[in-house]
Amino acid sequence: MPDNSYIALLVGVAAAITWLLRALPFAGLAPMRNSELVKYLGLHMPLGVMVMLLIYTLRPGVAAGGLDVLWLGIAVLVTAGLHWWRAQALLSIVAGTAVYVVLMTLW
């Protein structure tokens, strides 16, 4: 069994590497904070990511066909409607997911 100093050294090295890997992106982004590209990506990237997640999520249900498409459509409309009305992402996501699960379970 390894002695305590060896284990402490391993934990210290692992902690240092973890800290460096987490700090590296921030250190790399610091000079680019005033870049027009970073501002553009910060403005448009969230919408692009959400569209990609939507496509990835809806693709299997649409491919299955049948009532799955109807349930997906209703859940998407509930999610979008709640988000438009209340502007609370958590509420709209939870409600849309609940509607989809209930519809899939009942039919």
Side-chain angles (χ1 to χ4, degrees):
M1 176 156 172
D3 61 351
N4 290 339
S5 61
Y6 181 73
I7 293 173
L9 179 66
L10 286 177
V11 169
V13 168
I17 290 173
T18 301
W19 186 85
L20 286 171
L21 287 175
R22 291 178 185 246
L24 189 63
F26 294 104
L29 278 178
M32 297 188 301
R33 292 215 191 273
N34 296 325
S35 167
E36 290 299 320
L37 176 63
V38 172
K39 288 179 186 175
Y40 177 81
L41 289 176
L43 181 64
H44 297 292
M45 199 67 162
L47 178 62
V49 169
M50 293 308 289
V51 168
M52 292 303 293
L53 285 172
L54 179 71
I55 291 170
Y56 179 78
T57 303
L58 296 181
R59 189 174 40 111
V62 172
L67 286 176
D68 288 351
V69 177
L70 179 62
W71 306 150
L72 278 171
I74 292 171
V76 167
L77 288 175
V78 166
T79 304
L82 268 175
H83 191 70
W84 179 72
W85 178 48
R86 301 295 290 180
Q88 293 181 354
L90 184 61
L91 172 68
S92 57
I93 291 170
V94 169
T97 302
V99 166
Y100 181 69
V101 168
V102 166
L103 288 173
M104 289 295 289
T105 303
L106 294 179
W107 285 280

